[in-house]
Each structure stands twice: as C-alpha cells, then as structure tokens.
Amino acid sequence: MLGFKLSVMRKKESTNFENEQFLFQVCELNSAIAMISGRWKSQIVYSISKGNDRFHLIQQELPNISETVLARQLKELETHAILVKQKIPNTIPLGVQYVLTNKGLDLVPILEHLCDWGKLYADGKEISTCSIS
Amino acid sequence: MLGFKLSVMRKKESTNFENEQFLFQVCELNSAIAMISGRWKSQIVYSISKGNDRFHLIQQELPNISETVLARQLKELETHAILVKQKIPNTIPLGVQYVLTNKGLDLVPILEHLCDWGKLYADGKEISTCSIS
DNA sequence: ACAATAACTAACAAAATTGTTAGGCTTTAA
DNA sequence: TTAAAGCCTAACAATTTTGTTAGTTATTGT
C-alpha cells in the first residue's frame, strides 16, 4: 500500500506556506532564520561545534530533549546541509558521528554574535532610541 | 468580570514551556533566536532599518501580511525592546512611527550576516566537510 | 452625514511545531 | 537468553504559531 505519510506533510495550499515562500523570495535572511529557528536546533549546532559529535553526547548536554525529538532535529539540520551523519569506522556497534559542513561551520560565528547580543541586553544594558522626534 | 484572556495565554506547566526556559538558561543564544524567529519578524526589523517606519509603509513592503498579524508582530518586537512606538508630533491624525532601539540597531548587522550566509549557500557554493574520518 | 485612511484589538479557526508512546535494529556483556 | 547501549522511526496528542473575521477609535475630505 503506497502513500502512507512519514511524519506529517506540510500543507502546500495554505496561506501560511505561501507567506513563508514569499519571505524566502524577498530575502535569504528569512530562509536562514527558518533553518536555525527550531527548538533545540542552534544549541545542537553549537554543541557539535564544541566537539559533542555523538548522539549520546548531545543528549548529555541537553538532558531534557527526548531521543525522538533529537533525532528529528538532527535530520532537519541534515536536510539543510548544516551537518552530515557519518559512520565511524572501527566502532562496535558501528557508531554515528555528526559533523558540521562548511555551511554549518560558517554559521557558528554568527550564532556567537547572536549570543553576545542576547547577553549584552540581558545583562541590563539600558535600551534607548536615537530618534529625533 | 475579571480574568478574560487577551490573545491566548501560554501554558506555563507544559514540557514545551519548560524546555524553552531550560534553553534560555543554557545560553542567551536561545532567547536571542526566540526574539527574532517569528514569521515576518526579522524582515520587519530590516524594513524599519531601511526607513519604512510607518505601519502602512511596512504593509507596502510586505503586501501579504494582514493588519492583525503585522500589529501582533510589532507588539512582540516592542515587548522585546527591539523597537518602540512613538507618536509623531504635528501629524493629523496623530501618526505612529516605529523606531529601532539600540538593541534593535545592534541586531541589524547580525541579520545582514545571516542574510549573506543564506545567499552564499543558496547560490550553490558546494558544501563539504573537513572531517578526518 | 458618509466614506475613507491609519492604526489598532478580541475572539476564533487553521496549520505548524513540539513532545509522547511504542516500537525497530544491532551488538556486547552477564 | 536476557538485558542494555546506541541510534532511529511511525503514529499520535498537546501546545503554539499563524491567519481570519469582525469589530474599534479618531480624523479628514465630500
């Protein structure tokens, strides 16, 4: 029997989908943000960049994530070519290692900028405007 | 009669909420991404940074956004102190202008980096890994 | 008086994301 | 042979995000 669904398919005729496509075509900024904005996702990228390249190592860093959810987010990051899965030779049972692509590696400093930005204003730096009014 | 709800309140006892809070406390990166990751949001910030500082000017740039949704996203950006709403003196009827705070202004170059990153890999730069394997 | 513009809001519905349950496979250790 | 570690999947339920409908207020032009 054909046509069963893997996870839940996205609806292609919805306004939601059309608006997303519209934004993707306005500027790559929007596709970039879509790629990194899922729950756990950028933290996973950051974690891998620090050397936690195995499934169970990421789980140790993020104990609240479930296996299913971690596997799903890793697959999405793989779909966007931010990372690749590699079999580790000479491991028994055959292990899997997650490796950032150069696309993923280029993302890391941007995430660090975002992190700094978040810290700067979280630490209470006063917020002002420079408007003329 | 008290206790009616403005928009729909977030559920505070859910795993979803707890996981979000956990990530916020792991690294400000996650709160930073939460602030910019809503549909239309970073495009609105970018649009204001280019001088489209009025409600109807943003609507012109993003014709597919509805008034309700635009107002909602602007309010969320205001909640995160990325922008402020200002009455424009000597306009009739009294106009409203959206002005980026310094927090919002500091965000703009980061969004530009993200945009460049998106463009670089969208334009077909080959993706590779540097793993030893 | 009436329509139009600008800038909103509440309540609701549709769709998407996130989390849960219950499995799967392969190999080693007990 | 049973259990555990490591990695993964499908189906479903809970929650959140996004979009829609139908209003509001205030002012100007006709």
PDB file of all heavy atoms in Angstrom, chain C residues 6-18:
ATOM      1  P    DA C   6      -3.391  55.651   4.660  1.00  0.00           P
ATOM      2  OP1  DA C   6      -2.305  56.518   4.168  1.00  0.00           O
ATOM      3  OP2  DA C   6      -3.590  54.290   4.127  1.00  0.00           O
ATOM      4  O5'  DA C   6      -3.257  55.544   6.240  1.00  0.00           O
ATOM      5  C5'  DA C   6      -3.125  56.724   7.026  1.00  0.00           C
ATOM      6  C4'  DA C   6      -3.151  56.332   8.483  1.00  0.00           C
ATOM      7  O4'  DA C   6      -4.505  56.004   8.855  1.00  0.00           O
ATOM      8  C3'  DA C   6      -2.306  55.081   8.794  1.00  0.00           C
ATOM      9  O3'  DA C   6      -1.400  55.425   9.826  1.00  0.00           O
ATOM     10  C2'  DA C   6      -3.320  54.047   9.237  1.00  0.00           C
ATOM     11  C1'  DA C   6      -4.464  54.903   9.732  1.00  0.00           C
ATOM     12  N9   DA C   6      -5.776  54.263   9.691  1.00  0.00           N
ATOM     13  C8   DA C   6      -6.310  53.500   8.682  1.00  0.00           C
ATOM     14  N7   DA C   6      -7.524  53.060   8.940  1.00  0.00           N
ATOM     15  C5   DA C   6      -7.799  53.570  10.201  1.00  0.00           C
ATOM     16  C6   DA C   6      -8.932  53.457  11.045  1.00  0.00           C
ATOM     17  N6   DA C   6     -10.023  52.772  10.722  1.00  0.00           N
ATOM     18  N1   DA C   6      -8.880  54.096  12.236  1.00  0.00           N
ATOM     19  C2   DA C   6      -7.781  54.786  12.552  1.00  0.00           C
ATOM     20  N3   DA C   6      -6.662  54.971  11.854  1.00  0.00           N
ATOM     21  C4   DA C   6      -6.743  54.319  10.672  1.00  0.00           C
ATOM     22  P    DA C   7      -0.315  54.357  10.277  1.00  0.00           P
ATOM     23  OP1  DA C   7       0.821  55.148  10.773  1.00  0.00           O
ATOM     24  OP2  DA C   7      -0.125  53.342   9.239  1.00  0.00           O
ATOM     25  O5'  DA C   7      -1.030  53.686  11.524  1.00  0.00           O
ATOM     26  C5'  DA C   7      -1.289  54.481  12.679  1.00  0.00           C
ATOM     27  C4'  DA C   7      -2.108  53.669  13.641  1.00  0.00           C
ATOM     28  O4'  DA C   7      -3.384  53.344  13.038  1.00  0.00           O
ATOM     29  C3'  DA C   7      -1.465  52.315  14.016  1.00  0.00           C
ATOM     30  O3'  DA C   7      -1.444  52.180  15.431  1.00  0.00           O
ATOM     31  C2'  DA C   7      -2.401  51.305  13.400  1.00  0.00           C
ATOM     32  C1'  DA C   7      -3.723  52.056  13.471  1.00  0.00           C
ATOM     33  N9   DA C   7      -4.783  51.486  12.648  1.00  0.00           N
ATOM     34  C8   DA C   7      -4.694  50.986  11.370  1.00  0.00           C
ATOM     35  N7   DA C   7      -5.821  50.490  10.924  1.00  0.00           N
ATOM     36  C5   DA C   7      -6.715  50.671  11.976  1.00  0.00           C
ATOM     37  C6   DA C   7      -8.075  50.353  12.139  1.00  0.00           C
ATOM     38  N6   DA C   7      -8.806  49.751  11.211  1.00  0.00           N
ATOM     39  N1   DA C   7      -8.655  50.680  13.329  1.00  0.00           N
ATOM     40  C2   DA C   7      -7.924  51.274  14.263  1.00  0.00           C
ATOM     41  N3   DA C   7      -6.633  51.625  14.221  1.00  0.00           N
ATOM     42  C4   DA C   7      -6.083  51.299  13.044  1.00  0.00           C
ATOM     43  P    DC C   8      -0.435  51.194  16.100  1.00  0.00           P
ATOM     44  OP1  DC C   8      -0.528  51.397  17.554  1.00  0.00           O
ATOM     45  OP2  DC C   8       0.868  51.311  15.449  1.00  0.00           O
ATOM     46  O5'  DC C   8      -1.061  49.783  15.680  1.00  0.00           O
ATOM     47  C5'  DC C   8      -1.564  48.885  16.641  1.00  0.00           C
ATOM     48  C4'  DC C   8      -3.026  49.213  17.001  1.00  0.00           C
ATOM     49  O4'  DC C   8      -3.804  49.383  15.809  1.00  0.00           O
ATOM     50  C3'  DC C   8      -3.679  48.060  17.716  1.00  0.00           C
ATOM     51  O3'  DC C   8      -3.358  48.164  19.081  1.00  0.00           O
ATOM     52  C2'  DC C   8      -5.154  48.316  17.462  1.00  0.00           C
ATOM     53  C1'  DC C   8      -5.172  49.083  16.141  1.00  0.00           C
ATOM     54  N1   DC C   8      -5.777  48.379  14.966  1.00  0.00           N
ATOM     55  C2   DC C   8      -7.117  48.005  15.003  1.00  0.00           C
ATOM     56  O2   DC C   8      -7.789  48.235  16.022  1.00  0.00           O
ATOM     57  N3   DC C   8      -7.675  47.401  13.926  1.00  0.00           N
ATOM     58  C4   DC C   8      -6.931  47.165  12.840  1.00  0.00           C
ATOM     59  N4   DC C   8      -7.533  46.575  11.796  1.00  0.00           N
ATOM     60  C5   DC C   8      -5.552  47.530  12.780  1.00  0.00           C
ATOM     61  C6   DC C   8      -5.017  48.119  13.860  1.00  0.00           C
ATOM     62  P    DT C   9      -3.177  46.844  19.942  1.00  0.00           P
ATOM     63  OP1  DT C   9      -2.748  47.288  21.286  1.00  0.00           O
ATOM     64  OP2  DT C   9      -2.382  45.880  19.173  1.00  0.00           O
ATOM     65  O5'  DT C   9      -4.650  46.227  20.071  1.00  0.00           O
ATOM     66  C5'  DT C   9      -5.688  46.958  20.740  1.00  0.00           C
ATOM     67  C4'  DT C   9      -6.908  46.069  20.778  1.00  0.00           C
ATOM     68  O4'  DT C   9      -7.422  45.944  19.433  1.00  0.00           O
ATOM     69  C3'  DT C   9      -6.584  44.654  21.253  1.00  0.00           C
ATOM     70  O3'  DT C   9      -7.346  44.397  22.421  1.00  0.00           O
ATOM     71  C2'  DT C   9      -6.947  43.747  20.097  1.00  0.00           C
ATOM     72  C1'  DT C   9      -7.836  44.615  19.227  1.00  0.00           C
ATOM     73  N1   DT C   9      -7.726  44.374  17.766  1.00  0.00           N
ATOM     74  C2   DT C   9      -8.854  43.986  17.075  1.00  0.00           C
ATOM     75  O2   DT C   9      -9.938  43.825  17.605  1.00  0.00           O
ATOM     76  N3   DT C   9      -8.655  43.793  15.726  1.00  0.00           N
ATOM     77  C4   DT C   9      -7.485  43.944  15.023  1.00  0.00           C
ATOM     78  O4   DT C   9      -7.442  43.742  13.806  1.00  0.00           O
ATOM     79  C5   DT C   9      -6.337  44.351  15.804  1.00  0.00           C
ATOM     80  C7   DT C   9      -5.012  44.535  15.133  1.00  0.00           C
ATOM     81  C6   DT C   9      -6.502  44.538  17.128  1.00  0.00           C
ATOM     82  P    DA C  10      -7.148  43.026  23.242  1.00  0.00           P
ATOM     83  OP1  DA C  10      -7.300  43.346  24.680  1.00  0.00           O
ATOM     84  OP2  DA C  10      -5.946  42.323  22.755  1.00  0.00           O
ATOM     85  O5'  DA C  10      -8.432  42.207  22.773  1.00  0.00           O
ATOM     86  C5'  DA C  10      -9.722  42.808  22.870  1.00  0.00           C
ATOM     87  C4'  DA C  10     -10.783  41.782  22.510  1.00  0.00           C
ATOM     88  O4'  DA C  10     -10.832  41.622  21.069  1.00  0.00           O
ATOM     89  C3'  DA C  10     -10.540  40.389  23.082  1.00  0.00           C
ATOM     90  O3'  DA C  10     -11.802  39.875  23.483  1.00  0.00           O
ATOM     91  C2'  DA C  10      -9.921  39.612  21.926  1.00  0.00           C
ATOM     92  C1'  DA C  10     -10.554  40.280  20.700  1.00  0.00           C
ATOM     93  N9   DA C  10      -9.688  40.350  19.519  1.00  0.00           N
ATOM     94  C8   DA C  10      -8.356  40.665  19.474  1.00  0.00           C
ATOM     95  N7   DA C  10      -7.846  40.670  18.259  1.00  0.00           N
ATOM     96  C5   DA C  10      -8.923  40.345  17.447  1.00  0.00           C
ATOM     97  C6   DA C  10      -9.047  40.190  16.055  1.00  0.00           C
ATOM     98  N6   DA C  10      -8.036  40.355  15.206  1.00  0.00           N
ATOM     99  N1   DA C  10     -10.257  39.856  15.560  1.00  0.00           N
ATOM    100  C2   DA C  10     -11.281  39.698  16.416  1.00  0.00           C
ATOM    101  N3   DA C  10     -11.288  39.822  17.746  1.00  0.00           N
ATOM    102  C4   DA C  10     -10.070  40.148  18.201  1.00  0.00           C
ATOM    103  P    DA C  11     -11.956  38.430  24.156  1.00  0.00           P
ATOM    104  OP1  DA C  11     -13.108  38.500  25.062  1.00  0.00           O
ATOM    105  OP2  DA C  11     -10.630  37.987  24.627  1.00  0.00           O
ATOM    106  O5'  DA C  11     -12.370  37.544  22.899  1.00  0.00           O
ATOM    107  C5'  DA C  11     -13.511  37.924  22.127  1.00  0.00           C
ATOM    108  C4'  DA C  11     -13.670  36.942  20.985  1.00  0.00           C
ATOM    109  O4'  DA C  11     -12.682  37.220  19.963  1.00  0.00           O
ATOM    110  C3'  DA C  11     -13.476  35.477  21.395  1.00  0.00           C
ATOM    111  O3'  DA C  11     -14.562  34.747  20.858  1.00  0.00           O
ATOM    112  C2'  DA C  11     -12.128  35.099  20.780  1.00  0.00           C
ATOM    113  C1'  DA C  11     -12.091  36.010  19.553  1.00  0.00           C
ATOM    114  N9   DA C  11     -10.751  36.337  19.047  1.00  0.00           N
ATOM    115  C8   DA C  11      -9.632  36.629  19.764  1.00  0.00           C
ATOM    116  N7   DA C  11      -8.570  36.891  19.017  1.00  0.00           N
ATOM    117  C5   DA C  11      -9.035  36.775  17.719  1.00  0.00           C
ATOM    118  C6   DA C  11      -8.418  36.937  16.466  1.00  0.00           C
ATOM    119  N6   DA C  11      -7.136  37.259  16.305  1.00  0.00           N
ATOM    120  N1   DA C  11      -9.173  36.740  15.364  1.00  0.00           N
ATOM    121  C2   DA C  11     -10.470  36.412  15.523  1.00  0.00           C
ATOM    122  N3   DA C  11     -11.164  36.242  16.648  1.00  0.00           N
ATOM    123  C4   DA C  11     -10.378  36.442  17.720  1.00  0.00           C
ATOM    124  P    DC C  12     -14.747  33.185  21.176  1.00  0.00           P
ATOM    125  OP1  DC C  12     -16.196  32.935  21.215  1.00  0.00           O
ATOM    126  OP2  DC C  12     -13.863  32.802  22.289  1.00  0.00           O
ATOM    127  O5'  DC C  12     -14.200  32.505  19.851  1.00  0.00           O
ATOM    128  C5'  DC C  12     -14.849  32.830  18.606  1.00  0.00           C
ATOM    129  C4'  DC C  12     -13.947  32.421  17.475  1.00  0.00           C
ATOM    130  O4'  DC C  12     -12.683  33.084  17.578  1.00  0.00           O
ATOM    131  C3'  DC C  12     -13.616  30.926  17.426  1.00  0.00           C
ATOM    132  O3'  DC C  12     -14.322  30.388  16.322  1.00  0.00           O
ATOM    133  C2'  DC C  12     -12.109  30.869  17.242  1.00  0.00           C
ATOM    134  C1'  DC C  12     -11.761  32.303  16.848  1.00  0.00           C
ATOM    135  N1   DC C  12     -10.388  32.738  17.189  1.00  0.00           N
ATOM    136  C2   DC C  12      -9.522  33.068  16.136  1.00  0.00           C
ATOM    137  O2   DC C  12      -9.938  32.981  14.972  1.00  0.00           O
ATOM    138  N3   DC C  12      -8.258  33.470  16.419  1.00  0.00           N
ATOM    139  C4   DC C  12      -7.858  33.553  17.677  1.00  0.00           C
ATOM    140  N4   DC C  12      -6.602  33.952  17.896  1.00  0.00           N
ATOM    141  C5   DC C  12      -8.721  33.223  18.775  1.00  0.00           C
ATOM    142  C6   DC C  12      -9.963  32.821  18.479  1.00  0.00           C
ATOM    143  P    DA C  13     -14.268  28.773  16.067  1.00  0.00           P
ATOM    144  OP1  DA C  13     -15.606  28.422  15.539  1.00  0.00           O
ATOM    145  OP2  DA C  13     -13.690  28.082  17.231  1.00  0.00           O
ATOM    146  O5'  DA C  13     -13.229  28.643  14.861  1.00  0.00           O
ATOM    147  C5'  DA C  13     -13.398  29.474  13.707  1.00  0.00           C
ATOM    148  C4'  DA C  13     -12.276  29.169  12.750  1.00  0.00           C
ATOM    149  O4'  DA C  13     -11.055  29.782  13.238  1.00  0.00           O
ATOM    150  C3'  DA C  13     -11.972  27.682  12.587  1.00  0.00           C
ATOM    151  O3'  DA C  13     -11.766  27.471  11.200  1.00  0.00           O
ATOM    152  C2'  DA C  13     -10.717  27.453  13.423  1.00  0.00           C
ATOM    153  C1'  DA C  13     -10.019  28.817  13.296  1.00  0.00           C
ATOM    154  N9   DA C  13      -9.163  29.194  14.428  1.00  0.00           N
ATOM    155  C8   DA C  13      -9.444  29.148  15.757  1.00  0.00           C
ATOM    156  N7   DA C  13      -8.469  29.588  16.533  1.00  0.00           N
ATOM    157  C5   DA C  13      -7.489  29.952  15.633  1.00  0.00           C
ATOM    158  C6   DA C  13      -6.199  30.496  15.802  1.00  0.00           C
ATOM    159  N6   DA C  13      -5.657  30.773  16.994  1.00  0.00           N
ATOM    160  N1   DA C  13      -5.481  30.750  14.700  1.00  0.00           N
ATOM    161  C2   DA C  13      -6.005  30.466  13.507  1.00  0.00           C
ATOM    162  N3   DA C  13      -7.196  29.962  13.214  1.00  0.00           N
ATOM    163  C4   DA C  13      -7.895  29.723  14.338  1.00  0.00           C
ATOM    164  P    DA C  14     -11.410  26.020  10.583  1.00  0.00           P
ATOM    165  OP1  DA C  14     -12.191  25.910   9.330  1.00  0.00           O
ATOM    166  OP2  DA C  14     -11.480  24.981  11.638  1.00  0.00           O
ATOM    167  O5'  DA C  14      -9.869  26.190  10.188  1.00  0.00           O
ATOM    168  C5'  DA C  14      -9.507  27.195   9.262  1.00  0.00           C
ATOM    169  C4'  DA C  14      -8.006  27.152   9.108  1.00  0.00           C
ATOM    170  O4'  DA C  14      -7.385  27.538  10.360  1.00  0.00           O
ATOM    171  C3'  DA C  14      -7.465  25.772   8.757  1.00  0.00           C
ATOM    172  O3'  DA C  14      -6.630  25.983   7.634  1.00  0.00           O
ATOM    173  C2'  DA C  14      -6.694  25.326  10.011  1.00  0.00           C
ATOM    174  C1'  DA C  14      -6.326  26.649  10.670  1.00  0.00           C
ATOM    175  N9   DA C  14      -6.239  26.634  12.134  1.00  0.00           N
ATOM    176  C8   DA C  14      -7.152  26.147  13.015  1.00  0.00           C
ATOM    177  N7   DA C  14      -6.813  26.302  14.277  1.00  0.00           N
ATOM    178  C5   DA C  14      -5.593  26.948  14.212  1.00  0.00           C
ATOM    179  C6   DA C  14      -4.707  27.405  15.211  1.00  0.00           C
ATOM    180  N6   DA C  14      -4.926  27.273  16.519  1.00  0.00           N
ATOM    181  N1   DA C  14      -3.573  28.013  14.802  1.00  0.00           N
ATOM    182  C2   DA C  14      -3.352  28.153  13.489  1.00  0.00           C
ATOM    183  N3   DA C  14      -4.112  27.769  12.458  1.00  0.00           N
ATOM    184  C4   DA C  14      -5.229  27.165  12.898  1.00  0.00           C
ATOM    185  P    DA C  15      -5.858  24.725   6.918  1.00  0.00           P
ATOM    186  OP1  DA C  15      -5.672  25.109   5.499  1.00  0.00           O
ATOM    187  OP2  DA C  15      -6.531  23.455   7.281  1.00  0.00           O
ATOM    188  O5'  DA C  15      -4.448  24.741   7.631  1.00  0.00           O
ATOM    189  C5'  DA C  15      -3.616  25.884   7.508  1.00  0.00           C
ATOM    190  C4'  DA C  15      -2.403  25.708   8.368  1.00  0.00           C
ATOM    191  O4'  DA C  15      -2.785  25.714   9.759  1.00  0.00           O
ATOM    192  C3'  DA C  15      -1.660  24.394   8.138  1.00  0.00           C
ATOM    193  O3'  DA C  15      -0.423  24.741   7.588  1.00  0.00           O
ATOM    194  C2'  DA C  15      -1.552  23.760   9.540  1.00  0.00           C
ATOM    195  C1'  DA C  15      -1.865  24.907  10.473  1.00  0.00           C
ATOM    196  N9   DA C  15      -2.540  24.545  11.719  1.00  0.00           N
ATOM    197  C8   DA C  15      -3.681  23.823  11.872  1.00  0.00           C
ATOM    198  N7   DA C  15      -4.048  23.665  13.122  1.00  0.00           N
ATOM    199  C5   DA C  15      -3.072  24.329  13.840  1.00  0.00           C
ATOM    200  C6   DA C  15      -2.885  24.542  15.222  1.00  0.00           C
ATOM    201  N6   DA C  15      -3.700  24.075  16.154  1.00  0.00           N
ATOM    202  N1   DA C  15      -1.804  25.249  15.604  1.00  0.00           N
ATOM    203  C2   DA C  15      -0.976  25.730  14.663  1.00  0.00           C
ATOM    204  N3   DA C  15      -1.053  25.602  13.337  1.00  0.00           N
ATOM    205  C4   DA C  15      -2.135  24.887  12.986  1.00  0.00           C
ATOM    206  P    DA C  16       0.788  23.738   7.381  1.00  0.00           P
ATOM    207  OP1  DA C  16       1.519  24.244   6.214  1.00  0.00           O
ATOM    208  OP2  DA C  16       0.282  22.359   7.423  1.00  0.00           O
ATOM    209  O5'  DA C  16       1.685  23.961   8.665  1.00  0.00           O
ATOM    210  C5'  DA C  16       2.220  25.243   8.946  1.00  0.00           C
ATOM    211  C4'  DA C  16       2.971  25.201  10.267  1.00  0.00           C
ATOM    212  O4'  DA C  16       2.039  24.940  11.319  1.00  0.00           O
ATOM    213  C3'  DA C  16       4.022  24.091  10.309  1.00  0.00           C
ATOM    214  O3'  DA C  16       5.278  24.673  10.575  1.00  0.00           O
ATOM    215  C2'  DA C  16       3.563  23.178  11.430  1.00  0.00           C
ATOM    216  C1'  DA C  16       2.607  24.031  12.238  1.00  0.00           C
ATOM    217  N9   DA C  16       1.509  23.255  12.784  1.00  0.00           N
ATOM    218  C8   DA C  16       0.617  22.489  12.090  1.00  0.00           C
ATOM    219  N7   DA C  16      -0.269  21.904  12.849  1.00  0.00           N
ATOM    220  C5   DA C  16       0.066  22.307  14.128  1.00  0.00           C
ATOM    221  C6   DA C  16      -0.495  22.026  15.384  1.00  0.00           C
ATOM    222  N6   DA C  16      -1.554  21.238  15.559  1.00  0.00           N
ATOM    223  N1   DA C  16       0.075  22.596  16.459  1.00  0.00           N
ATOM    224  C2   DA C  16       1.149  23.396  16.275  1.00  0.00           C
ATOM    225  N3   DA C  16       1.750  23.735  15.151  1.00  0.00           N
ATOM    226  C4   DA C  16       1.156  23.148  14.102  1.00  0.00           C
ATOM    227  P    DT C  17       6.566  23.716  10.822  1.00  0.00           P
ATOM    228  OP1  DT C  17       7.695  24.480  10.281  1.00  0.00           O
ATOM    229  OP2  DT C  17       6.255  22.349  10.373  1.00  0.00           O
ATOM    230  O5'  DT C  17       6.713  23.650  12.403  1.00  0.00           O
ATOM    231  C5'  DT C  17       6.753  24.832  13.174  1.00  0.00           C
ATOM    232  C4'  DT C  17       6.711  24.463  14.646  1.00  0.00           C
ATOM    233  O4'  DT C  17       5.498  23.745  14.940  1.00  0.00           O
ATOM    234  C3'  DT C  17       7.866  23.574  15.081  1.00  0.00           C
ATOM    235  O3'  DT C  17       8.389  24.219  16.230  1.00  0.00           O
ATOM    236  C2'  DT C  17       7.208  22.224  15.374  1.00  0.00           C
ATOM    237  C1'  DT C  17       5.796  22.641  15.778  1.00  0.00           C
ATOM    238  N1   DT C  17       4.695  21.665  15.567  1.00  0.00           N
ATOM    239  C2   DT C  17       3.897  21.333  16.631  1.00  0.00           C
ATOM    240  O2   DT C  17       4.049  21.759  17.746  1.00  0.00           O
ATOM    241  N3   DT C  17       2.880  20.453  16.335  1.00  0.00           N
ATOM    242  C4   DT C  17       2.599  19.897  15.108  1.00  0.00           C
ATOM    243  O4   DT C  17       1.654  19.121  14.967  1.00  0.00           O
ATOM    244  C5   DT C  17       3.482  20.291  14.030  1.00  0.00           C
ATOM    245  C7   DT C  17       3.257  19.745  12.657  1.00  0.00           C
ATOM    246  C6   DT C  17       4.467  21.139  14.313  1.00  0.00           C
ATOM    247  P    DT C  18       9.735  23.650  16.943  1.00  0.00           P
ATOM    248  OP1  DT C  18      10.349  24.811  17.625  1.00  0.00           O
ATOM    249  OP2  DT C  18      10.510  22.830  16.002  1.00  0.00           O
ATOM    250  O5'  DT C  18       9.138  22.672  18.049  1.00  0.00           O
ATOM    251  C5'  DT C  18       8.416  23.235  19.139  1.00  0.00           C
ATOM    252  C4'  DT C  18       7.874  22.119  20.006  1.00  0.00           C
ATOM    253  O4'  DT C  18       6.907  21.363  19.271  1.00  0.00           O
ATOM    254  C3'  DT C  18       8.932  21.108  20.465  1.00  0.00           C
ATOM    255  O3'  DT C  18       8.998  21.239  21.867  1.00  0.00           O
ATOM    256  C2'  DT C  18       8.399  19.753  20.008  1.00  0.00           C
ATOM    257  C1'  DT C  18       6.933  20.035  19.749  1.00  0.00           C
ATOM    258  N1   DT C  18       6.254  19.228  18.698  1.00  0.00           N
ATOM    259  C2   DT C  18       5.108  18.531  19.014  1.00  0.00           C
ATOM    260  O2   DT C  18       4.621  18.509  20.124  1.00  0.00           O
ATOM    261  N3   DT C  18       4.556  17.846  17.971  1.00  0.00           N
ATOM    262  C4   DT C  18       5.014  17.792  16.663  1.00  0.00           C
ATOM    263  O4   DT C  18       4.422  17.144  15.804  1.00  0.00           O
ATOM    264  C5   DT C  18       6.214  18.551  16.391  1.00  0.00           C
ATOM    265  C7   DT C  18       6.806  18.573  15.007  1.00  0.00           C
ATOM    266  C6   DT C  18       6.769  19.219  17.414  1.00  0.00           C
TER     267       DT C  18
END
